[in-house]
Amino acid sequence: MLEIWRRKMNRHKYKKLLKRTKFLRRRVLDGRRKNNQKRFEKDLQRIWMRAGLKKSQEEWNTLRIFNKQSKVSERLKSTD
C-alpha cells in the first residue's frame, strides 16, 4: 500500500512541477532548437565551401528544420 501511495504522490508532484515550469521549459527548448538550427546551417555552409563555392546559391533556401516558424509569419510572407 505504501509503495502505491508514494508512486501516486510522486506522479502528482511531477505533474505539478511540469505545470509550474511550463514556460521555462519552453524557453529552454527554444534555445536548444536555435542552437541545433545554427549547427545545421554551419554544416551546410561547410559542405558547399568544400564543394568549391564561395557562398550559397541564391535560389537555395535554408530549411528551418529545428525552428518551427509560426503560421502568422508564413501568412505575412505570402502576402508580401
Side-chain angles (χ1 to χ4, degrees):
M1 276 304 260
L2 283 175
E3 217 173 291
I4 293 170
W5 172 251
R6 195 172 295 134
R7 194 179 315 138
K8 277 178 103 172
M9 280 309 292
N10 284 341
R11 184 172 178 175
H12 173 70
K13 287 179 181 178
Y14 181 68
K15 293 259 186 187
K16 279 179 70 172
L17 176 70
L18 289 181
K19 273 187 180 179
R20 262 198 325 261
T21 59
K22 178 179 175 181
F23 296 103
L24 179 66
R25 287 183 299 117
R26 185 185 299 171
R27 191 168 51 191
V28 168
L29 288 176
D30 284 344
R32 287 181 188 165
R33 282 191 199 110
K34 283 179 188 175
N35 290 340
N36 287 340
Q37 184 68 31
K38 278 184 190 175
R39 191 178 311 127
F40 173 70
E41 290 174 8
K42 200 176 268 190
D43 281 346
L44 278 179
Q45 184 178 9
R46 185 179 51 82
I47 288 169
W48 72 61
M49 293 288 270
R50 275 190 180 177
L53 299 173
K54 297 286 184 190
K55 59 180 182 176
S56 68
Q57 299 291 329
E58 291 181 12
E59 58 268 4
W60 288 355
N61 291 330
T62 307
L63 296 174
R64 295 280 176 206
I65 294 176
F66 298 101
N67 290 346
K68 295 193 170 90
Q69 292 178 336
S70 66
K71 292 179 182 177
V72 175
S73 63
E74 290 176 8
R75 288 182 191 155
L76 287 174
K77 286 182 183 177
S78 64
T79 58
D80 289 343

